[in-house]
Amino acid sequence: MAAAKVKTLHDKLEAIIPKLREEKKAILSSDGDKKISDVTIAQAFGGMRGVKGMICDTSVVEPDHGLIIRGYPLLKLKKRLPEEIFWLLITGTLPNKNELKLFQKQLSEYNKVPAYVWKVLKAMPKSSHPMAMLNTAILVMQNESVFSKKYKEGMPKTDYWHPALEDSMQILGTIHTVAAGIYRMKYKKGPILEPKKSLDWGANYAYMLGMKNKEEVYEMMRLYLVFHSDHEGGNVSANTCHTVGSALSDPYYSVSAGLNGLAGPLHGLANQECLGWILQTMEKFGGAPTEKQIEDYAWETLNAGKVIPGYGHAVLRVTDPRFVGFNQFGRKYLKDDPVFKTVDRVFKVVPKVLVKHGKAKSPWPNVDAGSGSLLYHYGIKEFEYYTVLFSVSRAMGMLAQLVLNRALGTALTRPKSVSTEWIKKQIK
Ligand code: CMX
């Protein structure tokens, strides 16, 4: 019997896209006029929370279960490589061993960061936030976009996904090198390192950051990159990338735009704020605080009109499985670390405080509550950098969604806004 042909990611998509197009066409023609959502005035004023108005197939976030990637509850994927997750997000199935190997090889062929990127980064003010540096780097690389070039030359709509995938490979092939370079440049950690052929994508990122060369560190980094990869389509970064991409802006424009959203304190920046909050409690109480001290500090934060970072969520109503996964890792490898101990103790105290406070719809920890303590333990102490790590991972979800959207001819995003006057007339 002949051996099964090893498929590239491109081959695999080429085989499934016609079926996805047919499926969409059939649904629209038989049931296109069926209603899936109503919108209240409160939702229109309230960030459209809960309004079902877009399609995203890469993952779903169930309020009671958290992230499910293509049918896999997240914790079932915790031993997988980020490269496998990208493949899963975009195709709906995990790659087999040979497909993975070939994909890793192909991805590593896209690893050249153009020299002008480093020049631009070096020219930025020393005080620039590392997220501003990462987003600038991706935006300036727009110069490489094959999608833009092919669009200018003229290509049929059905072909959009080919150059979108190629740009995505280029972004994923370089984003970890750029992100690590930013870290080393900004925090004076020594020369910028190039990826090693022998390492996978996640391990390479840890290596290029200059983290200790050991399997435990690589395991943490892979876990971090898998856990942050996607969170369905409506969150600020994914939704922004989706909207910008719907105007047929290329993947560089779209991902950079999405990451600008991730840089907000209510979204990805919360992980920097969260570790800051943990360290403040430790500083205030001279080491890992007691449960009572944490409770007092939580109330002090809330009474000052601030949020407790890392807690609450727009969709989730249970402890985020991503927090659970990081917590399990922490208990295995760093249970005596004072920062990790504090995170663990905060988890015991803060949900009760938030319930008493009575505002947050979810008192439970989200992804950002625990991830920082792992990074801190392994030597990444500059916590304003943490959202960059989140970004390297989230680029996978945004790009997977974008390629699928170009393949399926997703329409230009254009919801209808209404004025307050219009609302007042409706009420009358
Ligand atoms: N601490 C204090 N108050 C909180 C809170 C928290 N952790 N979480 C929610 N609330 C408050 C809200 O500020 C809101 O107050 P107002 O009515 O005065 O505006 C009220 O509770 C209701 O909010 P909600 O419906 O429960 O939550 P939202 O969907 O509006 O916001 C989120 C969700 C994540 C922005 C919010 O829970 C928050 O600010 N958490 C802290 C920041 C954070 O951890 N962000 C990271 C989220 C994960 C990510 O995207 O990366």
Side-chain angles (χ1 to χ4, degrees):
M1 213 168 67
K5 188 173 175 278
V6 180
K7 282 207 158 89
T8 63
L9 181 57
H10 185 273
D11 291 344
K12 185 91 182 180
L13 281 170
E14 187 124 64
I16 61 177
I17 284 170
K19 292 178 207 144
L20 298 177
R21 286 179 178 155
E22 277 310 309
E23 184 182 54
K24 175 180 164 186
K25 208 165 132 196
I27 293 173
L28 284 174
S29 103
S30 62
D31 295 286
D33 55 357
K34 292 222 169 96
K35 225 162 117 176
I36 54 167
S37 206
D38 284 314
V39 186
T40 63
I41 292 174
Q43 286 173 308
F45 276 109
M48 298 187 281
R49 204 71 86 256
V51 177
K52 299 183 186 79
M54 66 189 290
I55 309 290
C56 170
D57 289 319
T58 52
S59 66
V60 292
V61 178
E62 301 284 5
D64 297 338
H65 292 100
L67 178 60
I68 298 173
I69 298 182
R70 296 290 197 170
Y72 293 92
L74 183 70
L75 292 175
K76 289 230 152 59
L77 296 169
K78 67 180 182 186
K79 297 256 159 68
R80 298 282 177 175
L81 293 175
E83 297 93 310
E84 292 179 274
I85 301 302
F86 181 65
W87 184 292
L88 174 65
L89 286 165
I90 198 163
T91 66
T93 53
L94 284 160
N96 64 35
K97 259 193 188 149
N98 292 333
E99 286 169 339
L100 174 64
K101 233 169 133 185
L102 180 59
F103 176 60
Q104 287 180 308
K105 183 173 170 289
Q106 287 196 319
L107 192 60
S108 71
E109 283 159 10
Y110 285 89
N111 69 3
K112 287 277 159 290
V113 178
Y116 62 80
V117 173
W118 300 120
K119 280 194 193 146
V120 169
L121 290 174
K122 279 183 188 139
M124 288 180 77
K126 297 275 166 283
S127 55
S128 294
H129 194 281
M131 277 302 286
M133 295 174 81
L134 181 70
N135 294 345
T136 302
I138 292 174
L139 194 57
V140 81
M141 272 204 277
Q142 190 279 335
N143 184 53
E144 308 300 314
S145 175
V146 180
F147 183 93
S148 258
K149 192 165 152 271
K150 296 265 181 202
Y151 188 83
K152 232 192 271 161
E153 286 166 10
M155 66 177 150
K157 285 182 181 178
T158 45
D159 281 358
Y160 287 169
W161 70 271
H162 300 274
L165 179 63
E166 190 161 355
D167 282 356
S168 301
M169 294 288 281
Q170 178 73 55
I171 293 174
L172 286 183
T174 49
I175 192 169
H176 58 338
T177 309
V178 172
I182 289 169
Y183 180 73
R184 295 179 68 82
M185 190 186 286
K186 182 161 173 70
Y187 304 111
K188 302 192 172 48
K189 301 283 179 180
I192 289 164
L193 299 173
E194 302 237 328
K196 274 188 180 170
K197 278 226 155 50
S198 57
L199 295 177
D200 58 77
W201 194 67
N204 246 326
Y205 186 22
Y207 157 74
M208 289 186 285
L209 282 166
M211 294 174 86
K212 273 208 189 90
N213 195 357
K214 55 179 187 174
E215 192 46 41
E216 184 182 316
V217 172
Y218 294 163
E219 189 183 327
M220 187 278 299
M221 184 57 86
R222 291 183 198 116
L223 190 73
Y224 190 98
L225 295 173
V226 167
F227 278 11
H228 288 82
S229 60
D230 201 42
H231 220 227
E232 68 172 42
N235 64 75
V236 169
S237 48
N239 193 18
T240 304
C241 179
H242 177 101
T243 302
V244 174
S246 81
L248 299 186
S249 301
D250 62 53
Y252 295 88
Y253 281 128
S254 308
V255 168
S256 174
L259 294 181
N260 285 325
L262 198 70
L266 295 189
H267 195 12
L269 203 79
N271 58 8
Q272 122 172 14
E273 307 236 318
C274 193
L275 193 68
W277 194 83
I278 297 286
L279 295 181
Q280 276 161 28
T281 61
M282 294 181 68
E283 200 178 296
K284 186 169 163 113
F285 301 110
T290 64
E291 291 187 18
K292 174 77 180 86
Q293 286 169 330
I294 292 170
E295 187 179 341
D296 292 345
Y297 195 63
W299 279 112
E300 200 180 310
T301 305
L302 292 169
N303 291 337
K306 296 186 211 156
V307 296
I308 300 185
Y311 282 77
H313 200 270
V315 178
L316 277 175
R317 295 296 175 258
V318 288
T319 295
D320 192 330
R322 300 171 295 179
F323 176 84
V324 174
F326 286 136
N327 208 259
Q328 287 167 349
F329 182 96
R331 284 177 187 203
K332 181 169 168 195
Y333 290 114
L334 44 133
K335 60 180 186 332
D336 296 325
D337 180 292
V339 180
F340 177 73
K341 264 191 193 157
T342 306
V343 168
D344 213 27
R345 239 170 245 172
V346 166
F347 177 41
K348 289 197 187 113
V349 174
V350 163
K352 291 182 210 148
V353 171
L354 283 174
V355 168
K356 226 185 223 171
H357 185 240
K359 268 183 146 190
K361 293 198 185 68
S362 166
W364 303 112
N366 59 55
V367 62
D368 297 323
S371 55
S373 65
L374 307 189
L375 298 169
Y376 199 79
H377 175 83
Y378 291 111
I380 306 286
K381 304 223 158 164
E382 299 79 2
F383 45 88
E384 69 169 0
Y385 181 78
Y386 291 177
T387 313
V388 172
L389 283 132
F390 192 156
S391 304
V392 170
S393 169
R394 188 50 65 88
M396 288 193 281
M398 289 193 283
L399 289 167
Q401 292 182 24
L402 186 135
V403 172
L404 288 172
N405 280 318
R406 293 299 72 77
L408 290 171
T410 301
L412 177 74
T413 300
R414 187 31 172 119
K416 175 82 185 115
S417 63
V418 294
S419 65
T420 309
E421 271 315 304
W422 184 91
I423 294 275
K424 287 196 304 208
K425 277 187 202 144
Q426 295 298 305
I427 297 168
K428 267 189 199 154

